[in-house]
Amino acid sequence: MIATLLAAGTAAVEQAAETPTDTLLFEGAILLGVATLFVMIFRRLGLGAVLGYLIAGALVGPHGLGLVGGGESKLAIAEIGIAFLLFLVGLELHPRRLWDLRKAIFGLGLAQVVVTGLVLTALILLTQGFSWQAALVLGLPLALSSTAQVLPSLKSSGRINSPFGEKAFSILLFQDLAIVPMITIVAALSRAPADPSTPPGAMLALYTVLAIIGLVLAGRFVVNPLLKVIGRYGERELFVVVGLLVVLASAALMHSLHLSTALGAFVAGVMLADSPYRHEIEADVEPFRLILLGLFFLAVGMVLDVGVVLADPLRVLGLAAGLVVTKVVVLTLLVRAFGKSWKTALGLALLLSQGGEFGFLLFTQAQQALLIAPEAASLFSAVVTLSMVSTPFLMLFARNLEFAPDRDGPMPEGPDAAPRGSALVIGYGRFGQTVAQMLHAVDCSVTLIDKKPSQIEQSGRYDTKVYYGDGLRLDLLRRAGADEARLIIYCIDDASVDAEALRPIVEAFPQAKVLIRVFDRRQLMAIDGAGAAGAVREVFESSIALGRLALAELDVDPREVEDVETALRQLDETRLAAQMDEGDLAAGRDHRFKPGGGREAASVLENLRQRRQAAKAAREEETMQVADPETA
């Protein structure tokens, strides 16, 4: 009897222990499988991955086929993806550039949130029969747009740093800041008993300021010194760990203070935007952002209450369409009021016309505050979700406006603003420094990358920004702007770089010419066939220069020195071609100068002398004819 009970208890414990794991594995496999299928379909149709994720989530979620449950819990976890997105955006914004955007953030951004929120509040109050309190806590969140949809679109289209992209980003950033006062409004209107764990609005504002100051100080005095130490070890895994730590710690700090986790992650990114290790962290964190953002949109689709839509489809579709149209009209007029063109105004309005992911959070808080009924929260959550579904279609109409040249302001300085193109210089030692100086001389915008922390720190003392990273990594090159660069120049002292390492880079960035410094002719043979546009042996030119000096010291005629150099270059080129064709260093051995002259070398040199003498005789004859035309 006792043995039976023990066995039953053990089985129950084992079953309870295995059930969460089994559920996680089963649901994970379903979500990833269905998401892969739908994303591929919608990518093929040109509608983007976001719509695929949303449809997949709605299909397998508790309100669809019911194959996966817990949409709300997964949405809470997946919101970390938004934090990663804002962190990466912050990495691209130098604090000085952020200060330059202050008028757009607190001007256009403030106007968009306030005016759009009040207009939507009035429309809800007039058409839906809610109290003014309920209309306000519904209308204000509907004024927010989807950062998770818009920013990836701007980044992928290459417009995040353009005037168009900066306006959209400024509005989105202020919307994230506006979450704090919106939470305060909900708390102030609440009919529920006060939650002792939630601080009052004034304290939230104070916490926001203190948290931002704390994150900036932590970045300067903790994170950057830590990255320098890790850079000396050269362990890529540690950069991944620190990147995740920074994002999660900053988000956790803001969450503990009842503030926006996305705002905390953004501040963490800005504080590292000027770090030489920015590109390395950016490349390491990017895969996590992609995964979590995909999970976020899956969760959004899962929380869509299909029953609410089916119960009154015309009402839900009408509200979603009304939301999109209202935001397009209001934002178009606002942007025009700020002196921008109709093209820019309409493009921005279409881009920001959907509801935002933070609407789900604010609707939940309004429901807990007894300001709206659960049915209303479900209804407007469905409205936001459907508006997000419409975004890929609206982006198709906005694409021409987004890519069209914008004449309402100068382009910001950056790699794509260089008058004669742009370049990435990989390796900033004595070789790379000279190459970079020549590019700077013609006002070419240059991004410098090196993986030696000592070199980075030394260059920083001379006001030269060098970024840390392995320049042979495709993901890091993309983060550094290789997709827009015209030149990728490898000045690294690494004789092991061969065609296998270079070929993927040449193929990934076909618009860029790849130039490389090689150690000797062995490495030149090793990179043959990789598609590099040019290569220079690191001591070849300097040895020729020193040889010229030696001949001059022997009082060799300057014209003879020129012949010797030209012959040497021709012989070396012929010899190198033979070595590459045969794959043998011994090939073309006769095409070089050696004791006694060498038959092939002497022949080349003699031909050069004869051509020079013939050219001299022709010039003398021409001079005589000009001096005595009667003789001619």
Side-chain angles (χ1 to χ4, degrees):
M1 181 68 176
I2 296 176
T4 303
L5 291 174
L6 288 175
T10 303
V13 171
E14 290 176 352
Q15 183 179 4
E18 292 175 0
T19 298
T21 301
D22 293 341
T23 302
L24 178 63
L25 293 175
F26 180 70
E27 291 186 348
I30 291 176
L31 282 173
L32 293 177
V34 176
T36 301
L37 175 63
F38 277 84
V39 169
M40 289 176 62
I41 292 174
F42 282 92
R43 282 281 193 187
R44 181 71 175 176
L45 296 174
L47 300 176
V50 172
L51 189 56
Y53 282 122
L54 291 172
I55 300 299
L59 180 65
V60 303
H63 303 290
L65 298 177
L67 300 177
V68 179
E72 289 78 6
S73 61
K74 290 180 176 60
L75 183 61
I77 297 173
E79 284 180 356
I80 300 175
I82 302 174
F84 276 90
L85 174 63
L86 266 293
F87 174 74
L88 292 175
V89 171
L91 280 176
E92 297 184 5
L93 283 175
H94 190 281
R96 183 172 56 253
R97 182 164 163 250
L98 192 60
W99 175 254
D100 293 338
L101 294 177
R102 65 190 185 280
K103 292 183 179 179
I105 295 171
F106 295 101
L108 183 57
L110 173 62
Q112 186 275 328
V113 171
V114 173
V115 176
T116 306
L118 292 179
V119 170
L120 290 170
T121 297
L123 290 175
I124 293 173
L125 185 62
L126 294 174
T127 63
Q128 300 301 309
F130 288 103
S131 66
W132 71 266
Q133 294 94 336
L136 185 63
V137 297
L138 289 170
L140 290 179
L142 290 175
L144 304 179
S145 304
S146 177
T147 301
Q149 279 188 298
V150 176
L151 284 186
S153 170
L154 291 173
K155 290 170 69 68
S156 64
S157 67
R159 297 279 282 168
I160 187 67
N161 293 322
S162 69
F164 183 96
E166 285 183 343
K167 293 178 186 66
F169 171 76
S170 300
I171 295 173
L172 291 170
L173 179 56
F174 186 86
Q175 289 179 357
D176 284 335
L177 295 172
I179 294 171
V180 174
M182 287 186 186
I183 292 174
T184 304
I185 291 172
V186 172
L189 297 176
S190 176
R191 296 168 182 153
D195 184 356
S197 64
T198 303
M203 291 299 296
L204 282 177
L206 179 61
Y207 287 166
T208 302
V209 175
L210 293 177
I212 292 175
I213 294 174
L215 288 173
V216 172
L217 293 177
R220 180 177 294 273
F221 297 109
V222 178
V223 179
N224 270 321
L226 179 62
L227 290 173
K228 289 181 180 180
V229 174
I230 293 173
R232 292 190 177 95
Y233 289 118
E235 294 289 341
R236 181 185 173 188
E237 293 80 4
L238 289 177
F239 279 103
V240 177
V241 172
V242 171
L244 296 177
L245 172 63
V246 171
V247 178
L248 296 178
S250 58
L253 171 65
M254 302 299 268
H255 180 73
S256 66
L257 298 175
H258 301 274
L259 302 173
S260 168
T261 56
L263 177 61
F266 172 76
V267 174
V270 172
M271 73 186 184
L272 294 177
D274 201 34
S275 169
Y277 304 95
R278 186 191 94 189
H279 293 307
E280 183 75 17
I281 293 177
E282 201 171 2
D284 290 334
V285 169
E286 175 72 8
F288 296 94
R289 193 271 299 180
L290 293 172
I291 294 171
L292 289 169
L293 213 53
L295 179 58
F296 170 80
F297 286 114
L298 279 171
V300 169
M302 290 172 63
V303 300
L304 173 61
D305 192 341
V306 181
V308 172
V309 179
L310 295 178
D312 195 352
L314 293 179
R315 183 186 183 192
V316 177
L317 292 173
L319 288 173
L323 171 63
V324 171
V325 171
T326 301
K327 294 184 76 171
V328 168
V329 172
V330 172
L331 188 53
T332 300
L333 295 176
L334 280 175
V335 177
R336 279 291 296 152
F338 276 77
K340 309 306 178 185
S341 65
W342 281 107
K343 175 192 66 181
T344 300
L346 183 58
L348 277 172
L350 290 171
L351 198 65
L352 302 172
S353 60
Q354 72 291 119
E357 49 274 353
F358 290 111
F360 304 115
L361 169 66
L362 291 164
F363 294 154
T364 301
Q365 291 194 342
Q367 177 185 334
Q368 294 171 349
L370 303 181
L371 293 171
I372 59 175
E375 294 78 12
S378 298
L379 171 64
F380 281 92
S381 294
V383 168
V384 170
T385 304
L386 289 179
S387 71
M388 294 171 75
V389 170
S390 72
T391 301
F393 299 98
L394 294 176
M395 284 182 177
L396 293 177
F397 294 103
R399 186 163 297 169
N400 291 333
L401 297 172
E402 182 179 350
F403 280 93
D406 192 2
R407 300 178 182 177
D408 56 23
M411 288 292 289
E413 292 184 3
D416 57 345
R420 291 188 172 94
S422 59
L424 271 65
V425 173
I426 316 299
Y428 196 63
R430 62 185 187 278
F431 196 101
Q433 290 171 18
T434 301
V435 173
Q437 287 187 58
M438 296 184 72
L439 295 172
H440 288 312
V442 294
D443 296 326
C444 178
S445 178
V446 182
T447 299
L448 305 172
I449 299 174
D450 202 299
K451 62 179 181 180
K452 295 180 180 178
S454 57
Q455 182 63 56
I456 294 171
E457 294 172 15
Q458 180 70 20
S459 301
R461 297 190 184 102
Y462 295 93
D463 298 325
T464 300
K465 172 62 67 176
V466 182
Y467 293 101
Y468 177 88
D470 182 356
L472 294 172
R473 286 176 51 189
L474 289 177
D475 55 350
L476 185 136
L477 290 173
R478 286 193 177 93
R479 306 310 307 176
D483 288 314
E484 293 84 28
R486 292 180 59 186
L487 291 173
I488 302 176
I489 308 173
Y490 285 92
C491 303
I492 53 179
D493 184 11
D494 187 354
S496 66
V497 176
D498 55 13
E500 186 177 352
L502 279 184
R503 190 176 295 111
I505 297 169
V506 173
E507 294 173 353
F509 310 108
Q511 87 293 340
K513 300 294 185 183
V514 176
L515 308 177
I516 181 171
R517 158 200 184 182
V518 296
F519 182 73
D520 55 13
R521 64 180 61 241
R522 290 186 182 87
Q523 188 177 10
L524 201 57
M525 293 169 63
I527 67 169
D528 185 38
V536 173
R537 281 168 282 169
E538 58 186 27
V539 297
F540 185 67
E541 296 297 331
S542 56
S543 60
I544 287 180
L546 186 60
R548 290 178 61 99
L549 287 176
L551 295 180
E553 291 297 325
L554 292 175
D555 296 325
V556 176
D557 187 280
R559 290 168 295 184
E560 182 78 1
V561 173
E562 294 291 339
D563 289 341
V564 170
E565 179 184 349
T566 302
L568 177 63
R569 291 183 182 276
Q570 289 182 6
L571 289 167
D572 183 79
E573 184 178 350
T574 303
R575 181 185 174 197
L576 188 59
Q579 290 172 328
M580 288 185 173
D581 289 340
E582 300 180 22
D584 183 7
L585 280 173
R589 65 177 64 189
D590 292 333
H591 292 79
R592 62 192 177 98
F593 289 112
K594 54 187 177 181
R599 185 178 59 191
E600 293 292 340
S603 174
V604 171
L605 186 59
E606 183 60 30
N607 288 336
L608 288 172
R609 287 170 176 165
Q610 291 177 1
R611 284 203 299 268
R612 177 166 54 81
Q613 291 172 357
K616 179 182 179 181
R619 287 195 300 271
E620 290 176 349
E621 182 178 354
E622 182 179 353
T623 302
M624 292 177 60
Q625 291 175 353
V626 172
D628 190 1
E630 294 182 1
T631 303

